[in-house]
Each structure stands twice: as structure tokens, then as C-alpha cells.
Amino acid sequence: MSVFDCIDWLLFSLSRAFITPLAVFIQIQGCVICLILAFGWACAAYVRNREIKRINDSFRAGNAFSFLCQDINHLHHSHQAILPRVSVIMPLKGFGEHNLHNWKTQITSLYGGPLEFLFVVESIEDPAYHAVSRLISDFKDDVEAKIVVADLSTTCSQKIHNQLVGIENMHKDSKYVLFLDDDVRLHPGSIGALTAEMERNPDIFIQTGYPLDLPSGTLGSYCIYEYHMPCSMGFATGGRTFFLWGGCMMMHADDFRQDRFGVVSVLQDGGYSDDMTLAAIAGAHKQLITSPPVAVFPHPLASDLSFSRYWNYLRKQTFVLESYVSKVNWIMNRALFCSHCYLSWGFVMPYFMAVVHVAAAVRVYVKGYSHEETTFTSSGLFLVSCLAACTFMELFSMWNLTRIEVQLCNLLSPEASRLSLTTYNWGLVFIAMLVDNFLYPISALRSHFTQSINWSGIRYHLKDGKISKIDRSKDKGPKFTDLGGKHLYGKKGLPTKDSYIASLYRKVIQWRQPKNS
């Protein structure tokens, strides 16, 4: 028997096995998963598109600042003068390719109330320290900002430690606190929109948002984009949600001052993930988490985001399911762990079967086998066509949601360079879907059995769902996070103060001034 005859025998045997009832169920299940994802993204697109329509209708009605607020009268001095104070806390680690631009969008917010920015670093040796110092120096006459050195964490993750130190140093009159990651690119009206919603509904415990990934072209960056997209539908509700993203969280400052629901003590006591911990607290105490439809933020991924950095990011994401604050939280995380692993491989397996069906059909055609001998190929190709149709609908729905979110971001940031869908490679998106879903269970199982993770040069060990040990490498660690770039912006990276955003800021200030009667 020749080598090709052995291959034919193997292909035909597998193709026959893949039309048994169990195999057909797996393939139909894959189609259902695709359709569920397509439906979820269609619903998310509807919510985002409704917000685009509202902004455009308001603009046509004469509100030239509809991207800032729904009612232009809210820009009057009488309204702006009573806006609450907000403290923005940004825990930093390293300095990457897009950080400087991101920070600048944060501190040049057009929020009209008192606003302070606290950049919290581990030490003055952190590369972010000097970059932020220069930025604050350039804008010292325009913004209230300072750097806080937090020192090393001992009982929780460094990010949580930085956040809590920022809380200790925030203004005593701050009503709200906004936590932002260094990879969040804000819109001019983002802080105002979040604050307005908190004022409108005092029952809100946390407000959050979600990033719109802008892949850089590498497979790793597309895997990040694909990983985030299924989660995005949980944030595009236009209101109540059960999900929380640590990159953008607005809360009541008094919740931290009074340690309400144990937000400080629980985070300090071995907390690894800020968003998962706070979401668990919200769930345990039946507190409200909301995500306004305008809270979607451009998230450019590093141009050199390698596959190894994507893998390390995925490891950190699966590792959060190993941390928990209560028995109920542990059960929820185990359920997420099992369901995500099952669905990930349930998504990938039909494509492996489809490849076998197609390869078997090709060999049948090339070798000229009779139809009677190879009736199994017809059934296999029918299943392949069903999967192809469902995959097309899934990719189209993902494309449509991305298109609408790109359009929304362009409306919310008219001063910024326009985002475009032309940079997306949808062939790589499809490959990333397969790669990411194949690797997720492997990463999750590794996290479960190792109970440790390296995060920016710091290795955390868990015991009973909490950090029990922290190992720090002798060197200073990487100068960029997994999603950030290693190329630094120099002075040329700073737009001049006479940019469009500065001009717009002056116009708003003039609008807010009390008019002479």
C-alpha cells in the first residue's frame, strides 16, 4: 500500500466517523455557536447604532456639541459650576508605544467640573515616571495632575495597590473616582458622560466601558481583537450589565472612604484582579453595574505585538478565574471556566472536521472513486456548507459591529485621526478565531494547575483564590505591557497646545461664561 493509499484510507475513515450522530451533533453545535455570536453582535450593533442616530439627530437639531452632551444648555456656566469633582486614577506600569497619546486624551477632557488626575507608579525608576513628568510639565497651566509613588505591593497585585494608594491621595471633596488603564484612549466627553449618568442614577455602583481593539497587523494583535469581541456584547447593553472592565471604572469616592461592602479590605486582602473582585462584590450585594452606549474606547494595539505576548496576555486572562472572594464566586468562576473551555473547543472542532470532509472529497474527485463507494462525502460536504454559511454570518455580524463602533468613536472624537475599517484583515480575523479558541482551554488548564502567573515581571502565587506570595525579578522588568509597544514617543509625539481639542476647549469655556443681561 502506497503512502497516498494510506492517506486516503485515513481520510475516508475519519470522514465516515465524522458523519456519525455524535460527530454531526458536534458540527451542528458549532453552527449554533456561530449563530449565537452573530445574534449577540447584531444586538450590540443595534445599541451602538441607536446612539449614533441620537448624536446625529441632536446635531441636526442645532446642538453642535452633541458629541459632548445631549442638551447643549448643560454647557452653560450655571450648570457647569455645580458639576461634582472627579478624581481620575491611572495605575501605570512601563511606557509603551501608544501611552503618551492615550494619557493626553485623558488629561485634555472637556469635562467642565473640578477634575484631578493622579498617575500612580510603583517607583521613580518606572519608565512611565519620567514620561508622565514631562507631560504634566507641558500641561501644568491647564490641568490639575500629579504623580504618586506607591512603592511595592505586599498583599495584592501591584495594579490594585497603585489604585488604592491613588484613593488615599485623591482630593477630599471628590464625589466620584474614575479608574483608567494606560491603554484607554478617552473621548473629549467621556468623563462628562459617565458623571452625568452617575448623577442621574445614584443607585449605580460602578460604571464601565469596553475597548475597541485596533489590530496592528500581527496575528497576536488579531487574537487579542478576537478574544475581546465576544465579551463586547456584554458591554453594549446601553444600561445594566453584569460585566466589568478594569480599564474604565467609575465609582462613588465615598464607597472607598467608608470601605462600603468591603471594597478596600477585599481588594487589599490578596486581590489579584480589580474588575473581577469588584464585580463579585457587586453581585454579592446586588449592586448595579452599568455601561453607557458611548463608553467604547479606541484601543490601538502595539505594532510589534508578538504571538508570545498574546499568549502571556491570554494566560493572565484565564488566570483571573482562579481568584475568588467567596464560595459563590468560586462556583461562578468554575462555571465560567468549564463553559468557556467547552464552547471554545466546541467552536474549533467542526472546522477540523470540515477540513477532513473537504480533503476526502478532493481525493475522491482526483482518484475517480465511484459515487457508491463514497456516499459519505456528500453528507460531509453538506455539513461543511452549513458551517461555511454560519461562519459567514458570524464574520459579517462581527464586521458590522466593528464598523458601527468605529463610526461611533469617530463621532465622539471629532478632533482625532479618523479610524477606518480598511486596516482590518478579515482573513486573519478568521484564523485568530480558531487560534484563540483552540488555545483558551490550554491556557485555562495551565493556570489552574500552576496557580501562578508572571505579570509585568512580577510573579503572583495564589492560594485559596487570593495572592499568597509575590516574587519580583531582579531586573526592572519589561518597559511595556503585553498589549503596549516598546517604541517611545519623543517630543514630536506631543501635539501642540494649539490643536483642535485646545481650540474646542476654549470655545466651551467661552460658552460656559455667564452672559451679561
Side-chain angles (χ1 to χ4, degrees):
M1 184 180 290
S2 67
V3 174
F4 284 108
D5 289 336
C6 291
I7 294 175
D8 287 347
W9 176 83
L10 178 62
L11 283 175
F12 296 161
S13 298
L14 286 174
S15 187
R16 287 190 184 93
F18 291 163
I19 59 172
T20 59
L22 177 60
V24 171
F25 168 78
I26 292 174
Q27 291 166 88
I28 293 176
Q29 176 184 256
C31 293
V32 172
I33 293 173
C34 289
L35 294 177
I36 290 174
L37 288 171
F39 177 75
W41 285 325
C43 292
Y46 170 79
V47 172
R48 303 293 192 198
N49 196 50
R50 186 175 59 190
E51 189 63 18
I52 291 174
K53 184 177 183 301
R54 182 198 64 77
I55 294 174
N56 286 331
D57 288 346
S58 180
F59 182 82
R60 284 191 290 268
N63 182 3
F65 296 100
S66 57
F67 66 96
L68 287 179
C69 59
Q70 298 184 24
D71 186 351
I72 196 170
N73 292 319
H74 288 171
L75 295 177
H76 280 294
H77 175 77
S78 58
H79 182 84
Q80 299 280 295
I82 60 174
L83 288 174
R85 173 177 280 273
V86 177
S87 291
V88 182
I89 297 176
M90 290 159 282
L92 307 180
K93 177 67 175 179
F95 180 56
E97 180 180 356
H98 301 290
N99 289 149
L100 192 59
H101 188 194
N102 295 340
W103 297 335
K104 190 168 181 294
T105 65
Q106 293 166 0
I107 67 173
T108 55
S109 168
L110 292 180
Y111 178 65
L115 189 61
E116 69 168 346
F117 298 89
L118 292 87
F119 296 88
V120 189
V121 297
E122 175 185 301
S123 71
I124 61 173
E125 296 180 349
D126 193 305
Y129 179 85
H130 302 288
V132 171
S133 297
R134 292 194 300 271
L135 181 67
I136 293 177
S137 176
D138 289 339
F139 286 86
K140 61 184 178 181
D141 297 328
D142 302 313
V143 298
E144 180 183 342
K146 63 180 178 180
I147 304 177
V148 179
V149 178
D151 294 326
L152 303 181
S153 63
T154 57
T155 63
C156 57
S157 69
Q158 188 64 47
K159 178 184 178 182
I160 289 178
H161 176 68
N162 287 13
Q163 290 172 324
L164 294 179
V165 171
I167 289 291
E168 294 172 359
N169 287 271
M170 70 179 174
H171 197 281
K172 62 180 179 63
D173 295 328
S174 289
K175 185 175 182 180
Y176 302 113
V177 56
L178 174 61
F179 297 106
L180 294 176
D181 280 356
D182 60 1
D183 54 3
V184 173
R185 183 168 293 181
L186 282 189
H187 306 293
S190 293
I191 297 178
L194 293 170
T195 305
E197 194 65 27
M198 296 288 280
E199 290 286 281
R200 191 177 300 117
N201 185 359
D203 292 333
I204 294 176
F205 181 53
I206 310 175
Q207 269 203 108
T208 188
Y210 207 62
L212 167 62
D213 291 325
L214 307 176
S216 59
T218 66
L219 178 59
S221 67
Y222 279 101
C223 286
I224 298 292
Y225 165 75
E226 192 283 327
Y227 176 83
H228 282 157
M229 282 303 290
C231 303
S232 67
M233 64 182 72
F235 291 85
T237 62
R240 188 185 187 98
T241 182
F242 299 99
F243 299 92
L244 185 59
W245 178 51
C248 174
M249 301 185 298
M250 177 173 276
M251 301 180 65
H252 295 270
D254 282 344
D255 286 349
F256 289 91
R257 295 189 182 105
Q258 302 168 14
D259 194 18
R260 190 171 294 155
F261 309 120
V263 290
V264 174
S265 54
V266 173
L267 286 169
Q268 279 181 333
D269 184 20
Y272 167 74
S273 170
D274 54 337
D275 47 14
M276 291 291 282
T277 302
L278 290 171
I281 293 173
H285 296 277
K286 296 180 172 54
Q287 294 299 297
L288 178 62
I289 300 175
T290 66
S291 179
V294 294
V296 54
F297 310 106
H299 181 210
L301 298 172
S303 58
D304 61 346
L305 202 159
S306 63
F307 194 79
S308 61
R309 282 163 59 186
Y310 151 71
W311 169 251
N312 195 51
Y313 175 78
L314 183 63
R315 286 273 289 112
K316 289 191 298 185
Q317 296 305 302
T318 57
F319 189 72
V320 300
L321 295 180
E322 300 303 315
S323 64
Y324 54 89
V325 299
S326 65
K327 185 66 175 179
V328 173
N329 189 211
W330 178 84
I331 294 173
M332 292 292 293
N333 285 358
R334 290 303 94 201
L336 282 172
F337 175 96
C338 295
S339 59
H340 202 155
C341 289
Y342 176 82
L343 292 173
S344 289
W345 275 359
F347 176 84
V348 173
M349 282 300 296
Y351 291 98
F352 170 73
M353 295 178 175
V355 170
V356 171
H357 287 315
V358 171
V362 170
R363 290 301 298 168
V364 166
Y365 177 79
V366 170
K367 296 291 289 187
Y369 290 108
S370 65
H371 178 73
E372 291 74 15
E373 295 178 287
T374 58
T375 53
F376 59 87
T377 58
S378 299
S379 300
L381 289 178
F382 174 75
L383 291 170
V384 170
S385 63
C386 291
L387 181 62
C390 293
T391 301
F392 174 79
M393 285 186 279
E394 177 196 17
L395 286 173
F396 177 81
S397 187
M398 183 191 290
W399 169 85
N400 185 53
L401 174 59
T402 306
R403 176 186 65 84
I404 289 173
E405 289 189 338
V406 163
Q407 186 179 353
L408 179 58
C409 287
N410 286 335
L411 279 176
L412 294 172
S413 292
E415 85 292 348
S417 300
R418 295 187 66 80
L419 307 180
S420 173
L421 268 180
T422 58
T423 59
Y424 286 76
N425 184 325
W426 294 97
L428 274 178
V429 170
F430 174 70
I431 295 173
M433 288 166 56
L434 300 179
V435 171
D436 183 64
N437 282 285
F438 176 75
L439 290 178
Y440 184 91
I442 298 174
S443 174
L445 288 170
R446 183 176 177 184
S447 296
H448 178 69
F449 287 109
T450 61
Q451 291 291 296
S452 68
I453 189 69
N454 187 302
W455 184 1
S456 298
I458 306 173
R459 180 161 291 279
Y460 299 101
H461 301 264
L462 293 184
K463 184 178 180 181
D464 297 328
K466 298 179 180 179
I467 291 177
S468 60
K469 182 182 177 182
I470 301 176
D471 293 329
R472 301 179 187 274
S473 55
K474 294 182 180 179
D475 57 293
K476 298 178 182 177
K479 293 186 177 181
F480 48 87
T481 59
D482 295 316
L483 307 188
K486 63 182 180 181
H487 304 296
L488 307 183
Y489 280 110
K491 275 286 184 181
K492 289 184 178 179
L494 278 172
T496 64
K497 293 185 182 180
D498 290 328
S499 63
Y500 176 84
I501 193 68
S503 174
L504 187 59
Y505 179 79
R506 287 194 295 270
K507 291 179 181 178
V508 173
I509 291 296
Q510 292 171 2
W511 181 271
R512 288 168 49 201
Q513 295 305 313
K515 298 179 180 178
N516 296 325
S517 55

